[in-house]
Every structure is written in C-alpha cells, then in structure tokens.
Amino acid sequence: MSNTETFSNWENLVKKQLKTEDIYTILKKENLEGIDVKPFYDSVEKPMSNLPKVEESTHLVANYHESLEDDVFAFLLNKNVENLVGKTVFINNKDLAEHISPQDEDQYFSLIDVFDEKNAEINDQLVKELLAKDFKRNICVDISLHQNAGAAIYQQLGVALAKTKELIEVYGAEIISKLIFRIAVGGNYFFEMAKIRAFKLVFNQLSKEYDLNEIPYVFAETSLRNKAIYDNENNLIRSTLELASAMIGGADAVYSNNYLVEKSTDNSEEISFKQQIVLAYESIINVFEDASNGSYYIEDITNKIADKSWRLFVEIEENGGYLELLKQGIIQKKIYDQAIEEQKWVQEGKIKLIGVNLYPKLEVKKSIEELYNPNEINAVRWAEMYE
C-alpha cells in the first residue's frame, strides 16, 4: 500500500469517526502566536538540516552550593567563591563580575543584562567593563523578562534580534560572537522547542548580513509565567516539561528556577536541579544536537515562527530600532496587548492551568487591569489574578 493510500484511509477513518467531511475545522487548534497549525502532517515544505549548538552537550546549571562542587560542572553564581576551578560559571551579579578574573581553565559567562528597559538605553559603561573580561561570552541579551511579561514567541525572538542589532550598531559586528541569550521557556511544549530552533535560524540569518556564520549561545531557564504559589507539585511537573523542551530544542545551557514561588528552600533547590539530572542521565536528551529535526510538525512551526519573528524585527528596524520604540512606548504596548489577550484565555479556560483555572482552589481576586501596565514590561504570572 502506498503512502498516499495509507493517508487517504486514515483521513476517511477520521471523517467517519467525527461524522463529518469537514474534519479540518473541527481538529484545528487555536493559538495566540497566530501560527496556522494543521491537525496532521505528512510532509514539510522546507526541510532543514540539523541546527547546531555551541556546546556539544547541554550544560546543567545549578545554583552554587559547596556540597555540589564535586558533582556539578556548571554553576549560577551570585556571590564570590574562592578556589572554584575547572567549572563553567554563569555570573548573575554585576558587582561580582567586577571582581572576577578568570584563570585559563575556567569558563565564565555573563548573564547580566546590559539593557536598561525602563530608561530605553544600553549601559555603555557596563558593556565596556564586561568586554574587558576574559569571559567565554561577555554580553547577555535577556529576553526572559519579555516571556514572563507575556510576549508572544515571535515577539520574544523579534526583540532578541532588535536588541542584538542595537549592540552591533554601537560596538561593531565582532560583538556577535560575545553574546549569550537568556531565554525563558514556557509550557507550550512543542512551540517552545520550535522557539529555540527558530531563533537559531533567524540569528544566523542576521549574522550573515555581516558576512558571518554565527549561531546563538542559548541559556534557557524555566518560566515564571505559568507557576502558582499554591500549586507546588504542578509547578514541578510544568518546569520539568519546560526543561525537556529546552534540551530537545537545542539549548546550550539549562537552568531550573525554583518550583516554590517566592519561598525557596535548600530542599526545593536540590529537587529543582535534580529535574535536570533525571532528564539528562535517564532520558539522555541533552547530548543530541537537534533532537526534534525531521518532525514534520516541529519543522513547520519552526519555519513559521522564524518568518514571523524576522518580519517583526524588520518592522522594528524600519521604525527606528528597539530603543527608539521603547522610548515611544510601542514595544511595551505590543507586549501588553499580547499579555492581556493571553490572560483572558486563562480567565476563560482556553489556557488550562491545573489547580488554578481547571479544578480551581481559588476564586478570581484581581482584574486583568490591575495586573498589567501598558507602559511597562513587567513579569506577571497567570495565577496572580487568583492569589
């Protein structure tokens, strides 16, 4: 039996079970990205080759604790630690970065955002200080804030490109190889895989405009957007799926924010890191270069997200660039409009959050208007309206 006959038989079976010829209208699923997702795929328009990572295996990043020194290879550091040798270290603290002088065997990365979103400017002094450091990646472009504020995936990637362009214009194209991108991974499992893959495509496209062939260094962390204060066990499951999305999508480093919202404990920190260990050493998904390559569905949405985010980037550039549109309040308004639409979906139950709007423990306590400000980019969790 040919593939065509098999597909036709399957299609006829679905029509029979749904008792309609119009199966596509029934099976079509809405999404807030404005991406047309088909109910099934039997091919992909633009097959792509493997999308590479910078790191051979995804770094599993833990908050530093001396008890982990022997077993953990990558740490997120907020304070100075003496005699930390041969580790991969991500610096999250501006004051700490000033005092660090890496040795030859050390690998240091800066996760310090050099953009001042409130005042719509780049901290030039900070950029120069960080560029003077012998770090593997000196300058962080942070779009985790945008995801946690409610930006769509294509908006996050468009902003990442626009922020990159701002840096290139001030410091030259050589800064491209010094960048690290801090990205928050949400709960839309396959879309988040496609987000990381799409970013590799569009970032490489931008680098080629400067006669380079670069791929982005992606530091992916779990989202705060879909976590709830009174729902710890569900938070743990959500963040595990987010870590899986990041690894399968091809992140270079992953970090799990504490699943206990606003009340971290030593035990919860340990469990948060062990999520990564289980995925890496029992599922072994951190070693693949591009694990989802060849999936018709993921390939299709990867291409569509890449196209949409590139169009947004071009639109931002044609209207004066990221910082200029921040000054005008346009970026904030775009994210605000997307965020309140998403929050409405939570309120209406179109986005399901177990224990919050599905099998709820709490009633609505705050309005959407109380949670969001059209003039600022602020992180807001969906569950805050119930807490």
Side-chain angles (χ1 to χ4, degrees):
M1 186 181 289
S2 71
N3 286 341
T4 306
E5 288 172 327
T6 305
F7 176 73
S8 178
N9 290 344
W10 183 89
E11 197 174 27
N12 288 332
L13 179 62
V14 174
K15 287 177 180 177
K16 184 178 176 182
Q17 288 178 336
L18 293 178
K19 298 181 175 61
T20 179
E21 289 292 309
D22 186 15
I23 63 173
Y24 298 96
T25 301
I26 292 173
L27 294 176
K28 187 174 179 180
K29 191 177 179 183
E30 268 188 295
N31 63 78
L32 283 162
E33 298 294 327
I35 300 289
D36 184 27
V37 175
K38 294 190 288 186
F40 52 83
Y41 291 81
D42 65 327
S43 64
V44 63
E45 279 182 35
K46 293 192 287 186
M48 57 183 74
S49 55
N50 266 13
L51 298 172
K53 297 194 292 193
V54 177
E55 300 286 359
E56 188 175 338
S57 294
T58 303
H59 283 305
L60 312 177
V61 185
N63 283 326
Y64 176 79
H65 193 280
E66 59 185 17
S67 66
L68 298 175
E69 259 194 57
D70 292 338
D71 301 318
V72 175
F73 302 102
F75 287 112
L76 184 68
L77 217 58
N78 284 302
K79 60 183 181 181
N80 196 26
V81 177
E82 298 293 334
N83 305 316
L84 193 61
V85 177
K87 302 293 185 183
T88 295
V89 180
F90 296 87
I91 303 292
N92 207 21
N93 181 308
K94 185 168 67 173
D95 296 328
L96 175 59
E98 289 177 10
H99 299 103
I100 283 183
S101 299
Q103 306 301 312
D104 289 345
E105 63 271 31
D106 300 333
Q107 286 196 101
Y108 277 81
F109 296 78
S110 170
L111 289 179
I112 302 157
D113 192 7
V114 297
F115 282 80
D116 181 346
E117 310 277 341
K118 301 275 190 217
N119 296 311
E121 62 187 23
I122 296 170
N123 187 333
D124 180 60
Q125 182 63 32
L126 180 58
V127 171
K128 286 173 179 170
E129 286 173 11
L130 290 169
L131 286 175
K133 296 284 182 183
D134 188 19
F135 285 5
K136 286 285 182 181
R137 298 271 168 160
N138 308 65
I139 306 299
C140 177
V141 175
D142 188 350
I143 54 166
S144 64
L145 167 66
H146 301 76
Q147 193 277 340
N148 283 309
I153 285 173
Y154 78 91
Q155 289 176 328
Q156 295 165 48
L157 302 191
V159 163
L161 293 176
K163 291 177 85 168
T164 301
K165 186 72 165 27
E166 294 281 0
L167 290 167
I168 292 169
E169 287 180 357
V170 180
Y171 304 102
E174 60 270 19
I175 203 169
I176 289 177
S177 63
K178 301 179 187 299
L179 301 179
I180 178 171
F181 292 86
R182 187 172 191 166
I183 293 175
V185 177
N188 195 340
Y189 191 63
F190 294 110
F191 268 59
E192 293 292 339
M193 289 178 206
K195 174 169 84 177
I196 293 172
R197 300 180 80 246
F199 185 52
K200 294 184 183 196
L201 286 177
V202 291
F203 182 82
N204 183 251
Q205 187 176 339
L206 176 61
S207 80
K208 283 178 176 172
E209 304 213 348
Y210 298 93
D211 298 320
L212 298 168
N213 190 26
E214 295 283 341
I215 51 172
Y217 194 108
V218 175
F219 178 98
E221 62 183 53
T222 56
S223 174
L224 300 173
R225 180 91 172 134
N226 58 353
K227 306 304 185 293
I229 286 178
Y230 303 108
D231 224 8
N232 303 327
E233 294 80 6
N234 287 341
N235 288 345
L236 189 60
I237 295 165
R238 290 178 191 120
S239 56
T240 302
L241 290 168
E242 289 161 7
L243 290 167
S245 282
M247 290 185 190
I248 294 168
D252 295 289
V254 292
Y255 171 74
S256 183
N257 283 301
N258 204 294
Y259 68 93
L260 292 184
V261 178
E262 298 175 359
K263 52 182 178 182
S264 167
T265 65
D266 285 346
N267 187 51
S268 68
E269 278 205 11
E270 183 183 346
I271 291 171
S272 293
F273 180 64
K274 283 180 175 176
Q275 292 174 274
Q276 302 172 36
I277 297 292
V278 170
L279 287 168
Y281 295 108
E282 294 192 11
S283 301
I284 322 175
I285 58 176
N286 65 319
V287 300
F288 293 99
E289 185 173 71
D290 188 6
S292 56
N293 180 273
S295 160
Y296 295 148
Y297 171 45
I298 295 173
E299 297 272 281
D300 185 59
I301 57 177
T302 295
N303 282 316
K304 285 174 177 172
I305 290 169
D307 289 345
K308 198 165 183 183
S309 56
W310 185 264
R311 287 199 301 274
L312 176 61
F313 165 60
V314 170
E315 179 192 321
I316 291 170
E317 290 309 299
E318 286 176 347
N319 286 283
Y322 180 70
L323 293 176
E324 178 57 35
L325 294 191
L326 266 184
K327 286 172 188 167
Q328 295 177 26
I330 292 171
I331 297 288
Q332 296 92 319
K333 184 63 166 59
K334 281 180 181 290
I335 292 172
Y336 169 80
D337 289 343
Q338 180 74 23
I340 60 169
E341 185 63 24
E342 191 178 68
Q343 192 74 48
K344 284 176 185 172
W345 276 38
V346 173
Q347 193 171 18
E348 293 164 9
K350 287 181 173 179
I351 291 175
K352 293 175 174 58
L353 212 58
I354 307 296
V356 177
N357 67 354
L358 187 65
Y359 312 117
K361 298 176 183 176
L362 302 163
E363 297 297 318
V364 173
K365 292 182 180 176
K366 294 190 188 96
S367 70
I368 289 172
E369 290 72 27
E370 287 176 277
L371 291 172
Y372 294 92
N373 183 339
N375 302 312
E376 291 182 3
I377 303 172
N378 291 322
V380 180
R381 292 178 297 103
W382 290 334
E384 284 183 50
M385 72 188 307
Y386 301 87
E387 294 172 346

